[in-house]
Amino acid sequence: MPNSSSISEFLLLGLADTRQLQLLHFWLLLGIYLAALLGNGLISTAVACDHRLHTPMYFFLLNLALLDLGCISTTLPKAMANALWHTRDISYAGCVAQLFFFLFFLSAEYSLLTIMSYDRYVAICKPLHYGTLLGSRACATMAAAAWGTGVLNSVLHTASTFSLPLCQGNAVDQFFCEIPQILKLSCSESYLRETWLLGVSASLASGCFVFILFSYVQIFRAVLRMPSEQGRHKAFSTCLPHLAVVSLFLSTGIFAQLKPFSNSSPSLDLMVSFLYSVLPPTLNPIIYSMRNKEVKNALSKVLQNMPYFSFNKVCICLT
């Protein structure tokens, strides 16, 4: 059996056995990837260029779009390249980098979603203190904390996972490198340290979930006490996109954690990982722009000006 010191590459799970299906998967993944790039790119451009969207809520939305871009760009390009060139290999360093960046973007996004729930809580339950509690410096600090949390969590898990001795081959039953599949390759009982670290991370994630739940309980109580139906509708319309994004993120993540660890089939692992790694980054821009008039107006202006963009206009827009 090879050990971790002799492994120079890993073999990822192939998306299909026949060449025709591989090309079909390539075009399908390419369409999904381009849709995610377009959606999150438009959201980022709209928030950056429209001064009416320079508020805490849209500042956090800009960070969410950037994290979604990073998350989906970590997994799909390699899967598309393998499907197109009929290969399965990824270098050892490439696998380490893929695992690190995927965990980084995923952890940072969850932290950011928690912060966004606090933003909605302050906006609805303490509107008079909104400018004080969520000033520009406070927003920048909270966003930096979310990104920093992602880095710390990713460093700990990546270092712990790849410090384990691997003696079960180098075939990863997934289309990208993720912790459960790497742990399957480790020697028996040698993954207990990483399992303990996963338990600590799960406890912290549960704390974030409780905070989000508490925030929305207080939000709904405050909204239901509003005398104006128009005020209630406006409050709900600002909260529903974030609530939908959180529900999508948590439901796919929880479903991935609840599936059997050792006895699950590769096809089930593939489907579940596709749900939580590809679906949220692709759908988040659609969810946030579906019922938000401000985002719709900003996006329409961006799309109208795209054919006439020049270097000078881009510079003016960004300054």
Side-chain angles (χ1 to χ4, degrees), residues 39-209:
N40 288 290
L42 286 175
I43 290 285
S44 303
T45 305
V47 174
C49 293
D50 196 328
H51 293 284
R52 292 174 299 180
L53 300 184
H54 291 179
T55 63
M57 181 177 75
Y58 293 111
F59 171 74
F60 294 133
L61 178 59
L62 171 63
N63 281 266
L64 180 66
L66 294 176
L67 289 171
D68 282 336
L69 281 174
C71 185
I72 199 167
S73 297
T74 303
T75 57
L76 281 196
K78 182 59 180 176
M80 289 188 296
N82 284 353
L84 181 62
W85 302 113
H86 191 52
T87 59
R88 293 175 52 198
D89 60 289
I90 182 173
S91 65
Y92 187 91
C95 187
V96 174
Q98 192 176 60
L99 179 63
F100 171 82
F101 283 109
F102 183 70
L103 283 175
F104 162 59
F105 289 120
L106 212 63
S107 303
E109 181 163 338
Y110 188 40
S111 301
L112 187 68
L113 290 174
T114 306
I115 294 171
M116 293 173 78
S117 69
Y118 173 72
D119 167 71
R120 292 298 83 207
Y121 164 75
V122 175
I124 293 176
C125 299
K126 298 183 178 181
L128 298 179
H129 303 283
Y130 188 75
T132 304
L133 295 176
L134 287 164
S136 58
R137 179 175 296 181
C139 290
T141 301
M142 287 188 283
W147 289 75
T149 301
V151 171
L152 178 61
N153 185 62
S154 183
V155 166
L156 291 175
H157 282 290
T158 304
S160 176
T161 300
F162 284 97
S163 66
L164 300 174
L166 306 178
C167 53
Q168 302 296 329
N170 66 337
V172 179
D173 291 332
Q174 192 51 267
F175 73 97
F176 66 96
C177 293
E178 63 173 358
I179 290 179
Q181 302 304 327
I182 301 297
L183 292 183
K184 286 183 179 180
L185 304 180
S186 63
C187 303
S188 60
E189 298 183 1
S190 63
Y191 58 83
L192 293 179
R193 178 179 54 187
E194 173 60 21
T195 303
W196 177 84
L197 191 57
L198 286 172
V200 174
S201 297
S203 301
L204 295 176
S206 300
C208 291
F209 174 74

Side-chain angles (χ1 to χ4, degrees), residues 250-264:
L250 291 178
S251 60
T252 54
I254 291 174
F255 185 66
Q257 297 301 319
L258 290 180
K259 69 179 177 63
F261 175 73
S262 57
N263 298 324
S264 58

